Amino acid sequence: MSTPSQTVGPYLSLGLPWADGPTVVEEGTPGAVWIRGVVYDGAGTPVPDGLIETWQGDAHGRFDHPDDPRGAQPGFRGFGRCPTNDDGEYGILTVVPGALPGEAPHINVSVFARGLLHRVVTRVYFPENTEANAADPVLASVPEERRGTLVARRSEDGYTFDVRLQGEGETVFFDV
Amino acid sequence: MTALSESGLVLPRYRRDPEGTHPPLDSPDYKSTGLRHPKQPLVLLPHKLTEITGPLLGPGRLGELDNDLTKQHPEEPQGQRIVVHGRLLDGDGRPVPNSLVEIWQANAGGRYKHVWDNWPCPVDPNFDGVGRTITDNEGRYEFTTIKPGAYPWKNHDNAWRPAHIHFSVFGTAFTQRLVTQMYFPDDPLFYQDPIFNSVPDEKARNRMISRFDLSRTVPEWALAFEFDIVLRGREATPFEDEEDE
Ligand SMILES: [Fe+3]
């Protein structure tokens, strides 16, 4: 009996962004990295009216949440949100999460935009974790030729993770 | 429930919504979906730790007047003052307490205070159209605001959006994150709106329409509308997470 989803529409940037939204951790935090990228539509045009949200465990793979059966780990917000700018770009400052039981380190990502009637969900994996990624059950469930869309690339100040909503190189999206 | 078994963690799971509850990402009548909906099939994501947890955003996210959109400026905004209230519930009718609710909306004439909105309707200098609040212990929320106007858009010939308020809620798990729109009863614009009608199931669609609530009107002050938001519920019994599923 869930309430249906609807699009955020073109004016999402009125209601959703927060000043500290993009910074999951404060600037200067040891190990902090920027995850930056561009959201593209099916014509390869950057999406200027979108929003990226991220959710992740801390550097030890722990969540500040009562349903983490290992016990809540207070203090790590774990949540980031950043609207895309006029060039479709977003950036989230965070730390690379630790591994989870049976899963490689990853960050869950929700993408909202005008034209998306429901958020789409994807995951960021990290390129240096070759072994853990190879053993990850979620990555393994994705057709091999599309897995690369879920793995970020190293950049000067962290990682690059572009989102392609449609067409060539379309990002893998999940049914949560 | 802190059990760690040999085969893995014992985790709750969230029920998937019945077909027709949510709009298909490819909804051609809403033109902006054309280049923005994925064409590849979605890959099923099992509910593991990252999915069953989620941001618990509450206190510290609010300013004092965030739940009263009529008091954010020295003067009052134009339009019909309304109270919008309801409960945030999970699929089993359990309230979701202490949870962030965010709204944004057009002013009484149907204009957003946004640089891209430039249709010929005046901006109201006394109305930002942005609100936030936290549900109480019983999952209740309440806003005081102005009834938003309908507004034209260019989706099809003479297209008008029915009056609506955008809502964003989190629940307690990543699986429950929801952004929706609240509509008003008996809006004559429903029939021609591809966003409202993108929800295939009629009953589900009608859950987005608020109810006029005489009991919560404030005499000589404000009308009232009730809007409950229902998030996904948990599977009845949490069961063991198999190691190699
Ligand atoms: Fe709108």
Side-chain angles (χ1 to χ4, degrees), chain A residues 7-11, chain B residues 104-106 112 151 161-162 164-166 181 195:
Chain A
T7 179
V8 292
Y11 308 125
Chain B
W104 70 103
Q105 63 168 93
Y112 285 90
Y151 58 86
R161 290 299 329 280
H164 60 274
I165 298 177
H166 295 266
Q181 299 181 20
I195 293 181

Side-chain angles (χ1 to χ4, degrees), chain A residues 99-161:
Chain A
L100 299 171
E103 292 186 278
H106 63 268
I107 296 177
N108 275 15
V109 175
S110 301
V111 185
F112 299 87
R114 170 177 66 84
L116 283 177
L117 283 159
H118 196 282
R119 68 168 171 170
V120 288
V121 168
T122 185
R123 271 186 175 188
V124 178
Y125 286 86
F126 298 89
E128 61 274 17
N129 302 326
T130 328
E131 262 177 56
N133 287 348
D136 184 85
V138 169
L139 275 178
S141 73
V142 171
E144 198 180 346
E145 68 278 9
R146 302 190 62 213
R147 259 172 233 165
T149 69
L150 299 175
V151 182
R153 286 174 288 126
R154 286 290 328 190
S155 70
E156 256 167 46
D157 59 0
Y159 298 89
T160 301
F161 184 79

